[in-house]
Amino acid sequence: MAAGRGVRDEREVRVERRVREEKAVAGMSEGLSSQGPEAASPEGVGGFDLEAIRSEFPILSRKTYLNSCSLGALSRRSEAYLDDFRERWHDMGAAAWYEHWLGRIEELRGRVASFWGSEARELALLPSTSVALSVVAESVEAGRRDKVVCTELDFPTLVYQWAVKRDIELVVLESPDGIRVDPEQFAAAVDERTLFVATSHVFFTTGNVQDLNALADIAHGVGAWCLIDGYQGAGQVPLDLSSAGVDFYTAGPLKWLLGGPGLAYLYVRGEVIQALEPRITSWFATEGQFDFDVRGFRYRSDARRFEMGTPALPTVHVALGGQEIVDEVGIETIVERNRMLTGHLVRRCREEGFELLTAEPERRSAIVMVRHSDPARAVRHLAGRGIIVDHRPGFVRISPHFYNTVDELEGCVEALASI
Ligand SMILES: Cc1ncc(COP(=O)(O)O)c(C=O)c1O
């Protein structure tokens, strides 16, 4: 039972939750004159069985879980895949590789590819975003280009990638408001020396969503590559890589895709794959992987040429369960619910007088930063009440996902206000 509910009847809580949910959606539709992103339509959440979805995730009945941008909840579905993995290991040992596990890897590749609008051959599986970024950096020919443009709002691992390269001039764009960086700033910073525009889809602290098409156009306009860290994007905001125009997009199952740690996904635009020959590699990258011929290295013709060895098989299984649920719920429903929940959270925080660091509604995602003088203490206080959120310097970070409820957000805001 979630925190603060005491011993109230479970059914009563459910009914109350539904009523609140409906009111929140209706209130938003009425409250806005135009159909802005906060105006989730009631039909959009119809057909979505919240209780059934919530019962997939044990943590939701134990805690008020509002930290999906750090780690998505673990589902029963993922556990079943993990059980299957363990059983085959007990039963078959290494034979399970050929008969099952290589197939699971391709199943995951296919699912993720169709989820984000790419072809399976455009997707490589890697151990982490950092490794994915390294292999991209070691795949392009720099020629006379020695400049990389990032922003101060990007996740550090993206920026560090270039900071350690002595021959690269790293340009870190400053945010005018601590929330966003404008496309015009990128346009002014790039030139014929630029090798990469390397930035985030969604900024990890402010939740601001960047315009991928605009970034790709700016990079390509000067002949540079467009590399996007999409870890905070994939699974919570609309994404179609077939039309985004970017060359590289990295993400992983850990957060919004509900698949745990140990794996990253790297998209490489189909047209450019064959022109890229990574200078770091592995036996997974060669056409003759199972020839075991030390003289026979030939880059694969697809994105597997970027792979760096055996992927974390337990994570492949957990990620399959998470991806299945995301696919079944549907990204449209997820986006719509997350907008509704985030809109509600922002409104309630403002009503309580909290200062927020959050993007304009049309660029907002489900990451809400609440300014706090002692965020670590606030997070501990909430944790004491069974409410899991996170903190970053100066802020409490709250990140709901489609499986959360308005009721839970109310409990979180009340608990924050009670400090
Ligand atoms: C935007 C972003 N990029 C990258 C990472 C992590 O990178 P890695 O997979 O290398 O640990 C995170 C968080 O864990 C993140 O929020």
Side-chain angles (χ1 to χ4, degrees):
M1 181 153 294
R5 286 209 193 104
V7 288
R8 283 168 60 199
D9 177 56
E10 186 69 25
R11 257 182 322 164
E12 194 188 322
V13 172
R14 259 190 242 152
V15 170
E16 187 184 295
R17 184 186 295 146
R18 274 195 202 290
V19 171
R20 277 176 188 272
E21 212 90 345
E22 279 161 23
K23 273 194 193 152
V25 171
M28 258 161 227
S29 302
E30 282 160 18
L32 292 166
S33 50
S34 66
Q35 286 288 305
E38 287 184 29
S41 74
E43 303 83 59
V45 287
F48 169 74
D49 189 342
L50 182 61
E51 294 308 327
I53 286 294
R54 284 178 64 83
S55 67
E56 271 275 8
F57 299 93
I59 196 170
L60 301 181
S61 61
R62 299 180 193 182
K63 295 278 169 21
T64 295
Y65 190 67
L66 295 169
N67 195 10
S68 293
C69 79
S70 283
L71 176 67
L74 175 64
S75 64
R76 293 275 184 226
R77 192 90 61 105
S78 289
E79 273 183 320
Y81 271 111
L82 210 46
D83 288 348
D84 175 77
F85 169 67
R86 201 192 49 221
E87 264 318 295
R88 296 202 192 273
W89 188 354
H90 283 318
D91 213 41
M92 306 173 71
W97 264 113
Y98 305 104
E99 289 181 40
H100 298 283
W101 295 341
L102 289 174
R104 288 291 195 216
I105 292 171
E106 293 319 309
E107 209 179 318
L108 180 63
R109 193 191 310 275
R111 265 199 179 274
V112 174
S114 63
F115 160 75
W116 69 14
S118 77
E119 291 175 29
R121 67 180 197 88
E122 296 173 305
L123 203 163
L125 299 183
L126 290 149
S128 68
T129 298
S130 306
V131 174
L133 297 171
S134 308
V135 72
V136 169
E138 291 301 326
S139 296
V140 300
E141 293 299 336
R144 291 197 174 148
R145 294 176 184 266
D146 61 356
K147 193 162 121 180
V148 173
V149 179
C150 298
T151 84
E152 62 174 346
L153 298 179
D154 292 315
F155 192 79
T157 209
L158 175 64
V159 185
Y160 294 163
Q161 191 57 233
W162 319 104
V164 296
K165 295 190 188 340
R166 294 218 178 109
D167 48 350
I168 288 289
E169 181 196 337
L170 175 61
V171 177
V172 180
L173 300 178
E174 286 181 16
S175 166
D177 56 2
I179 297 172
R180 60 172 219 284
V181 175
D182 295 324
E184 296 72 35
Q185 292 177 261
F186 286 96
V190 297
D191 56 27
E192 72 288 344
R193 278 181 44 223
T194 308
L195 181 59
F196 281 99
V197 168
T199 186
S200 314
H201 187 183
V202 172
F203 290 130
F204 77 111
T205 46
T206 69
N208 183 78
V209 184
Q210 299 210 90
D211 181 341
L212 298 186
N213 285 112
L215 292 168
D217 286 348
I218 290 164
H220 295 160
V222 294
W225 299 98
C226 184
L227 163 61
I228 300 295
D229 174 357
Y231 222 146
Q232 295 291 359
Q236 73 137 335
V237 299
L239 178 60
D240 177 13
L241 289 174
S242 71
S243 62
V246 305
D247 302 300
F248 307 98
Y249 187 98
T250 63
L254 177 69
K255 303 164 188 288
W256 307 99
L257 293 174
L258 317 172
L263 213 54
Y265 307 138
L266 169 66
Y267 159 83
V268 184
R269 189 158 57 85
E271 292 84 346
V272 304
I273 290 173
Q274 306 251 0
L276 298 170
E277 299 193 337
R279 290 177 293 274
I280 52 175
T281 195
S282 77
W283 66 304
F284 273 61
T286 181
E287 288 290 356
Q289 181 180 3
F290 292 104
D291 295 346
F292 301 102
D293 174 6
V294 293
R295 291 182 189 81
F297 185 89
R298 281 170 293 124
Y299 286 111
R300 287 192 193 266
S301 59
D302 57 32
R304 287 178 297 171
R305 67 171 55 196
F306 299 93
E307 293 192 344
M308 296 299 297
T310 311
L313 269 176
T315 310
V316 167
H317 286 75
V318 178
L320 264 172
Q323 191 64 51
E324 261 184 31
I325 294 177
V326 166
D327 292 345
E328 281 167 23
V329 172
I331 191 65
E332 296 79 12
T333 302
I334 292 174
V335 168
E336 193 165 359
R337 271 195 70 78
N338 286 0
R339 279 181 185 158
M340 182 275 283
L341 292 166
T342 309
H344 185 84
L345 178 61
V346 166
R347 189 160 52 80
R348 284 291 293 112
C349 283
R350 287 191 173 136
E351 278 169 14
E352 292 294 337
F354 294 130
E355 190 191 328
L356 301 181
L357 190 71
T358 181
E360 290 305 306
E362 64 278 5
R363 293 255 151 245
R364 190 184 288 156
S365 66
I367 299 175
V368 176
M369 301 288 275
V370 184
R371 195 178 291 285
H372 205 281
S373 56
D374 190 349
R377 192 179 132 248
V379 169
R380 279 198 305 276
H381 173 85
L382 265 62
R385 294 170 171 226
I387 302 169
I388 310 296
V389 296
D390 209 344
H391 61 89
R392 290 291 175 268
F395 293 90
V396 172
R397 186 173 72 172
I398 308 172
S399 55
H401 207 2
F402 65 99
Y403 42 51
N404 288 119
T405 67
V406 169
D407 200 22
E408 289 177 314
L409 297 177
E410 288 291 329
C412 177
V413 175
E414 277 165 29
L416 253 188
S418 76
I419 297 176

